[in-house]
Amino acid sequence: MENTMFCYQCQETAGCLGCTKVGVCGKKPEVANLQDLLVYVTKGISEVTTALRNEGKEVSEDVNHLVSVNLFTTITNANFDYDAIMKRVIKTLMVKEELLDQLSLDARAKLSEAAHWNGEKSEFDAKAKMVGVLSTKNEDIRSLRELITYGLKGLAAYSKHANALLKDNAEIDAFLQKALAATLDDSLTVDDLVALTLETGKYGVYGMALLDEANTKTYGNPEITKVNIGVRKNPAILISGHDLKDLEMLLEQTKGTGVDVYTHSEMLPAHYYPFFKKYDNFAGNYGNAWWKQREEFESFNGPILMTTNCIVPPAPSYKDRLFTTGAAGYPGCKHIDGKYTETKDFKEIIEMAKNCPAPTEIETGTITGGFAHEQVFALADKVVDAVKSGAIKKFVVMAGCDGRAKSRSYYTDFAKALPKDAVILTAGCAKYKYNKLDLGDIAGIPRVLDAGQCNDSYSLVLIALKLKEIFGLDDVNDLPIVYNISWYEQKAVIVLLALLYLGVKNIHLGPTLPAFLSPNVAKVLVDNFGIAGITNVEDDIKTLIG
Ligand code: FSO
Ligand code: SF4
């Protein structure tokens, strides 16, 4: 039977091959296809902006933001709303026409079809089916184009968060668009695209550094914090996703209203920033990683604001309580708009909360986090002593994503099976597989050090580089650090490429290797970087810990 769609960008793709009828994530074929078209026209406009820059012409921040949000919109579980995606395609085509007018005729003549295409709305569905992933016939070229595109989606997401805090970096945007445009270029060889993949990793480091700077300059450096995971008695709003600016606006607007605010999933690390501690109604963290939201959003009882992915198609019992903002969207759920410089209006959510029962308690106790770079540097002496005395023998980076696949219980079992002298360095929603296990501490240093969100993997890199400096090593791979990373969506792809760019070797990636790696491309990663999958806990403990 003919495919109605094709998407293989995330770890949960059907059969580890590709979603061809409907997304395992719940994405409908018409939405998947329209997302393909959005990626295509975003590549087209990126070709035009790249040509304009080559002619010495400036590209505005608004255009850069349009490109980043377009890509973010197509990340797994971010936006399921056909109409919202349609609007973005139309807007992109319109802006692209204006940009084309600024380009010399010579340069225009050299552009590819994607840069010129400007179809009517009635042509979108037919065009979408012609420009998807499978339109690249050579499987290695396709694999590398998608690897780069997914990395750029992750980079776009991190840029978008920095942009929301009014931090822009024109060099990152120019690269992002140049690399996107390059995925249309049929003259590029496998070797060219491998080089571009690593360059994407380099800009991944820059992107995470930009966001780290934006977050820490605005909200201070994360510090060791105990976060309550129980509930209070007040009605409340749950905020999920990664956007700290949205959280700031929500806390400001709920001040003194009698409505509490709880974080969910990847918003948990917001508690670690000094800035947010001044809000008395910032009550704690509710629930676990994204994939458990159907039961947890139901029992939360109040409205939920999704600032980014990961959205699971909502159950009817709470769908009218689910709101989206930014790049996130779900059909039938209210979207709260707002430009970066504007204050979003969350009144409707707050008023709804006032009429909802308080959250039902599902857990009690606290979890501890806040081990981003500055906090760990402050503990450096203790850490170094523990390593020198042999109290800490290994650091195990277990960053990345959680997901619903049963096989991911491997990560809980792996954390439990680690010897007591091993410390887990984590970031991203992967932490929910072991952050409530009570793994104890080593000389006062907790055995699970949570740096923050997936983008805070940057902190883990800085920590590794600091240890390298302290121990006077030439190579980051000589440190007693091993990597057992779990991935799900495209932000994890940019984190992985960033680590490869930094020369980190022998990363274990699971629970399965990406479907978009062709055998030849996978071989390049294995041969050059020692990338490997996971097997079982016992064997992997032997391989990684010895
Ligand atoms: Fe997780 Fe979702 Fe943060 Fe991702 S909530 S899976 S890698 O969006 O971005 O870690
Ligand atoms: Fe399938 Fe993942 Fe694509 Fe959703 S994002 S359609 S689950 S590959």
Side-chain angles (χ1 to χ4, degrees):
M1 235 198 339
E2 208 194 318
N3 292 349
T4 51
M5 61 181 277
F6 186 82
C7 182
Y8 64 175
Q9 67 175 353
C10 83
Q11 189 275 325
E12 292 188 357
T13 196
C16 252
L17 292 169
C19 296
T20 57
K21 302 278 170 268
V22 68
V24 171
C25 58
K27 188 160 76 175
K28 302 236 161 70
E30 58 274 23
V31 172
N33 293 331
L34 200 60
Q35 286 189 355
D36 287 346
L37 187 66
L38 182 57
V39 170
Y40 178 72
V41 299
T42 306
K43 289 181 175 182
I45 196 172
S46 295
E47 211 186 334
V48 180
T49 56
T50 303
L52 281 169
R53 288 192 185 94
N54 288 341
E55 290 188 344
K57 294 180 179 133
E58 263 198 40
V59 176
S60 72
E61 279 184 357
D62 283 350
V63 173
N64 292 338
H65 296 168
L66 175 81
V67 169
S68 299
V69 178
N70 280 359
L71 288 189
F72 200 169
T73 302
T74 68
I75 282 185
T76 299
N77 285 342
N79 202 312
F80 296 80
D81 187 348
Y82 184 90
D83 293 341
I85 296 161
M86 170 76 85
K87 278 191 198 139
R88 297 207 70 85
V89 173
I90 293 169
K91 170 96 194 277
T92 306
L93 290 174
M94 202 184 75
V95 174
K96 191 188 69 189
E97 285 306 304
E98 289 166 12
L99 294 174
L100 275 170
D101 286 343
Q102 297 170 29
L103 199 59
S104 69
L105 288 178
D106 256 12
R108 282 179 75 148
K110 289 185 193 132
L111 295 173
S112 76
E113 203 245 337
H116 288 291
W117 187 78
N118 189 7
E120 295 293 319
K121 211 164 146 183
S122 58
E123 299 166 60
F124 284 8
D125 287 344
K127 184 70 181 174
K129 290 195 181 123
M130 294 159 63
V131 297
V133 171
L134 299 178
S135 62
T136 300
K137 298 297 170 216
N138 177 302
E139 85 166 342
D140 297 327
I141 299 282
R142 181 198 305 149
S143 174
L144 287 162
R145 283 180 173 178
E146 295 310 314
L147 176 57
I148 292 164
T149 303
Y150 303 152
L152 295 173
K153 287 187 184 194
L155 177 57
Y158 295 156
S159 294
K160 191 259 157 194
H161 292 310
N163 300 157
L165 294 170
L166 307 184
K167 281 262 183 269
D168 281 80
N169 181 313
E171 196 197 332
I172 294 176
D173 287 307
F175 171 78
L176 190 149
Q177 293 158 33
K178 187 184 84 170
L180 257 190
T183 64
L184 296 165
D185 185 346
D186 289 330
S187 72
L188 297 184
T189 62
V190 163
D191 286 348
D192 296 332
L193 291 171
V194 168
L196 187 58
T197 305
L198 280 192
E199 204 183 354
T200 303
K202 172 165 114 180
Y203 280 89
V205 178
Y206 295 171
M208 286 192 276
L210 178 73
L211 179 53
D212 182 77
E213 191 195 340
N215 284 339
T216 53
K217 287 254 155 68
T218 315
Y219 303 120
N221 277 303
E223 52 194 21
I224 303 178
T225 307
K226 271 195 164 78
V227 182
N228 183 27
I229 56 172
V231 297
R232 298 179 184 171
K233 302 233 170 324
N234 302 323
I237 298 168
L238 189 60
I239 179 166
S240 189
H242 306 69
D243 202 299
L244 297 181
K245 183 70 193 174
D246 288 328
L247 172 68
E248 181 190 341
M249 290 186 276
L250 184 65
L251 285 169
E252 269 303 305
Q253 292 173 43
T254 47
K255 247 186 345 193
T257 60
V259 171
D260 286 339
V261 173
Y262 292 79
T263 53
H264 169 256
S265 190
E266 273 284 72
M267 200 57 91
L268 157 68
H271 292 277
Y272 312 155
Y273 289 90
F275 179 92
F276 295 112
K277 293 185 173 157
K278 65 183 180 220
Y279 296 99
D280 299 338
N281 64 329
F282 196 27
N285 188 70
Y286 190 85
N288 292 278
W290 64 273
W291 59 277
K292 287 193 173 163
Q293 67 189 247
R294 274 176 84 102
E295 53 205 272
E296 293 176 351
F297 285 4
E298 170 125 25
S299 63
F300 184 75
N301 300 328
I304 304 116
L305 175 62
M306 299 294 310
T307 65
T308 63
N309 54 336
C310 284
I311 302 175
V312 174
S317 57
Y318 66 83
K319 189 174 173 192
D320 63 334
R321 290 194 269 121
L322 191 74
F323 294 77
T324 61
T325 190
Y330 197 86
C333 293
K334 174 94 186 255
H335 185 83
I336 312 281
D337 277 324
K339 297 207 178 80
Y340 295 150
T341 47
E342 291 172 357
T343 302
K344 293 180 184 176
D345 184 357
F346 295 129
K347 206 185 304 138
E348 188 177 337
I349 308 181
I350 298 166
E351 288 310 310
M352 179 186 280
K354 286 179 183 165
N355 295 313
C356 291
T360 305
E361 190 152 83
I362 52 174
E363 295 172 295
T364 54
T366 58
I367 38 180
T368 304
F371 298 92
H373 48 88
E374 291 310 303
Q375 179 64 82
V376 176
F377 293 173
L379 295 172
D381 288 350
K382 236 179 173 181
V383 174
V384 170
D385 285 351
V387 174
K388 284 189 177 154
S389 72
I392 296 179
K393 290 223 172 55
K394 277 274 194 260
F395 293 96
V396 188
V397 174
M398 293 179 73
C401 324
D402 198 3
R404 59 200 132 196
K406 287 217 167 53
S407 57
R408 283 182 187 261
S409 60
Y410 161 93
Y411 293 102
T412 306
D413 298 339
F414 187 88
K416 284 185 190 161
L418 281 170
K420 299 275 174 283
D421 52 16
V423 169
I424 295 174
L425 302 176
T426 192
C429 60
K431 66 170 82 56
Y432 286 96
K433 279 280 186 275
Y434 32 80
N435 69 346
K436 294 170 187 170
L437 293 179
D438 207 0
L439 293 178
D441 60 73
I442 301 173
I445 302 160
R447 287 191 56 227
V448 178
L449 297 181
D450 176 21
Q453 298 180 335
C454 46
N455 41 290
D456 296 311
S457 300
Y458 176 70
S459 260
L460 304 182
V461 167
L462 291 191
I463 293 165
L465 294 176
K466 186 72 167 182
L467 290 174
K468 179 180 137 206
E469 182 194 311
I470 293 174
F471 288 110
L473 299 170
D474 295 329
D475 185 344
V476 77
N477 295 296
D478 293 338
L479 284 165
I481 304 183
V482 292
Y483 296 79
N484 194 1
I485 289 180
S486 54
W487 81 286
Y488 172 55
E489 47 91 340
Q490 299 78 57
K491 284 179 241 172
V493 176
I494 194 62
V495 172
L496 176 71
L497 296 184
L499 291 174
L500 297 187
Y501 165 72
L502 290 166
V504 174
K505 298 250 169 34
N506 303 324
I507 294 173
H508 287 246
L509 188 65
T512 54
L513 289 180
F516 53 81
L517 295 181
S518 68
N520 287 331
V521 172
K523 189 170 178 325
V524 170
L525 296 182
V526 172
D527 292 350
N528 293 297
F529 300 101
I531 291 248
I534 59 169
T535 58
N536 59 68
V537 170
E538 205 183 325
D539 290 344
D540 289 351
I541 291 272
K542 274 191 208 132
T543 314
L544 283 159
I545 310 295

